[in-house]
Amino acid sequence: MNNGRFPISLHILTLLASAEGELLSSDYIAGSININPVLVRKEISNLRNHGLIESKEGKNGGATLSKPAEKIRLSEVYHAVQQASLLGNSKNKPNPDCPVGKQINQHLDQLYQEIEGALLHKLEKMSLADFLRQFA
C-alpha cells in the first residue's frame, strides 16, 4: 500500500473498537490522527461502503463499528483501501530486444503477487481486536 489510506483507516477502526459502541465524531477521530476531518469523513464513507462501520450524521452523529472487532480481519481493511499493487506498477516499456527488458515486467508481476500474498496471509490471521490488544 503505497499511500496513507491503510494506516488512516486502521487508526479509525482501532479508535472505534476502543470506544466499545460509543459514536465517535469525525472531528474527534481527526484530532487523534492529526489530519483534516474531511479526510476522515472520506475514509468513514469508504469503510461504511465496505460494511466495516456504521455512521450517523448530524449534531449527535458519529461512527461506530458495524460488527464486533473480533470479526473484522485486517485483510478486509486492506481490500477496502487497496488502489494499486503493493509495490506499484512499472510505467516503463522495456526494450523487447533486451534479454532482461523483454522479461522484467513478467518477473516483477510474479514477485509482487507473492509479496502481496504473504501480506494478505498475515493480515487475514489478525483481527481488529487482536490489533487493539497491543494498546493495552
Side-chain angles (χ1 to χ4, degrees), residues 18-32:
S18 69
E20 299 178 347
E22 178 184 340
L23 290 174
L24 297 182
S25 72
S26 57
D27 287 337
Y28 175 84
I29 295 168
S32 176

Side-chain angles (χ1 to χ4, degrees), residues 8 12 26 30 33 35-45:
I8 289 170
I12 291 168
S26 57
I33 303 172
I35 62 172
N36 190 304
V38 172
L39 295 173
V40 169
R41 286 189 285 276
K42 182 178 177 183
E43 289 308 318
I44 285 173
S45 177

Side-chain angles (χ1 to χ4, degrees), residues 1-3 5 78-91 112 116 119-120:
M1 182 76 31
N2 51 13
N3 64 41
R5 292 185 67 200
Y78 177 82
H79 286 302
V81 300
Q82 180 183 14
Q83 292 180 310
S85 172
L86 179 65
L87 298 176
N89 295 317
S90 175
K91 293 181 168 90
Y112 291 177
E116 190 163 23
L119 171 67
L120 286 170

